[in-house]
Amino acid sequence: MTFPVGTPPDGAFQIGSKFGSDLNKDTAVAVMTGGIKRSFQDVRGTFKDNVEQPLGDKPSLTQVPVGSPMWQSLGKTEDTTFPRSQLTFGAASSTSSGGGSSGGSHSHSLRTVPDYQPAGHGGCTLEMGYIQAQRDRTYKEVGFITGDSITAFGINGFYIGVYSVDTKTGNVTLLNPISAAVDMRGSFGATNTEYRFNLGTSITAKQGDVFAVGTLQLTSLGQTCSSFLCITMNKITPAAGQAFPRAQYCYSGAWSAMPSSIEEKNLKYNESSKVPFYVLR
């Protein structure tokens, strides 16, 4: 405060004076700026501890991976039911064991990647694998990899569709009705070959969205389906309250054409120990 006339009280500033009459100028400046300096140093130290040093440990923009690594996918715009690195037959060429009291032994080759052959002979089941979008993107193609088994006596039709998944109910809805109605049986047939098909539409995916790829092979008695490369996994009962889907694979049917929607109660998870390799890109 200032005191215009008379004897100023302790700590007061006189009008016309720069500091109190009993306060040395250098001392006043030191007192006034010292607190500011200490406060600035405190803020600067906090900023360094909580911002600069943590950022210094982060990768630069040129070090941040772009897209997906090749062990996960061959293309940065792809999402798959599981990483490609899991399409393996193991580290050993075979396994062997003793033959009990006879002293003999036998071995099993491990040089075959697991594949799955859907039920033929009129089974006509829709085989579904689930894919979660890893980032915002647009899908225009869908695909799979065939296994070692080919069809016997051909098949009557082959259809492929992509479904959106309601993670609250488990219900699925077809997103490519036009291309899903096209018989594609003449567009694949070789073993151990990757095939991709144009969806005829663009599917907008948001990060975290879940989709189901479904393949349908129509057969009659005596006809078998082509097989798909897959992985095998333990059948696990999901935790209570877990969002749908309940497993990474399910099937439904029999169907004569690709259904436009399927309620969760009609999706069967009892064979969920296998997962076919499906890809969206």
Side-chain angles (χ1 to χ4, degrees):
M1 64 180 178
T2 59
F3 191 79
V5 294
T7 302
D10 292 338
F13 291 94
Q14 290 181 318
I15 294 177
S17 66
K18 296 182 179 179
F19 301 101
S21 59
D22 60 346
L23 193 62
N24 178 273
K25 177 179 179 180
D26 293 336
T27 302
V29 171
V31 170
M32 294 175 69
T33 60
I36 298 174
K37 184 177 181 181
R38 282 195 299 271
S39 296
F40 178 79
Q41 290 174 337
D42 291 343
V43 172
R44 183 73 182 87
T46 301
F47 182 82
K48 181 178 180 181
D49 294 340
N50 295 285
V51 178
E52 286 186 345
Q53 288 182 348
L55 285 177
D57 295 332
K58 301 293 183 183
S60 66
L61 289 177
T62 57
Q63 295 171 320
V64 175
V66 177
S68 301
M70 290 186 70
W71 59 261
Q72 177 174 316
S73 175
L74 289 180
K76 64 181 181 180
T77 60
E78 289 185 347
D79 286 319
T80 59
T81 47
F82 57 85
R84 288 175 182 269
S85 60
Q86 292 185 258
L87 290 171
T88 177
F89 45 72
S93 61
S94 65
T95 179
S96 61
S97 63
S101 59
S102 65
S105 64
H106 65 278
S107 63
H108 303 282
S109 174
L110 294 178
R111 292 191 178 276
T112 301
V113 176
D115 63 4
Y116 166 60
Q117 189 171 28
H121 308 288
C124 302
T125 55
L126 179 62
E127 310 291 321
M128 304 185 72
Y130 292 95
I131 294 175
Q132 186 174 48
Q134 297 303 295
R135 57 180 61 84
D136 292 359
R137 59 182 34 154
T138 300
Y139 299 129
K140 295 184 178 180
E141 292 183 336
V142 61
F144 56 83
I145 304 177
T146 55
D148 282 330
S149 301
I150 59 175
T151 63
F153 308 110
I155 56 177
N156 299 329
F158 173 76
Y159 303 91
I160 187 166
V162 179
Y163 291 81
S164 63
V165 179
D166 187 331
T167 57
K168 294 182 179 180
T169 65
N171 300 338
V172 300
T173 304
L174 186 64
L175 298 175
N176 64 315
I178 296 177
S179 61
V182 178
D183 185 355
M184 304 294 291
R185 59 181 151 168
S187 300
F188 78 105
T191 60
N192 300 307
T193 302
E194 183 166 359
Y195 290 93
R196 291 177 180 170
F197 304 91
N198 194 299
L199 290 168
T201 186
S202 296
I203 297 175
T204 301
K206 294 293 185 181
Q207 186 181 52
D209 285 350
V210 180
F211 300 88
V213 173
T215 56
L216 173 63
Q217 298 185 63
L218 303 184
T219 57
S220 301
L221 186 63
Q223 293 178 318
T224 58
C225 295
S226 287
S227 63
F228 300 117
L229 289 193
C230 71
I231 58 170
T232 57
M233 59 186 298
N234 290 334
K235 181 181 177 182
I236 300 173
T237 301
Q242 176 177 309
F244 291 98
R246 289 189 286 156
Q248 291 172 274
Y249 162 84
C250 69
Y251 68 96
S252 180
W255 299 97
S256 59
M258 193 70 65
S260 60
S261 62
I262 309 174
E263 292 185 352
E264 198 277 334
K265 64 182 180 181
N266 294 319
L267 300 176
K268 301 177 178 63
Y269 293 90
N270 57 303
E271 296 294 336
S272 58
S273 59
K274 54 184 171 290
V275 183
F277 181 86
Y278 291 149
V279 56
L280 285 172
R281 57 166 297 176

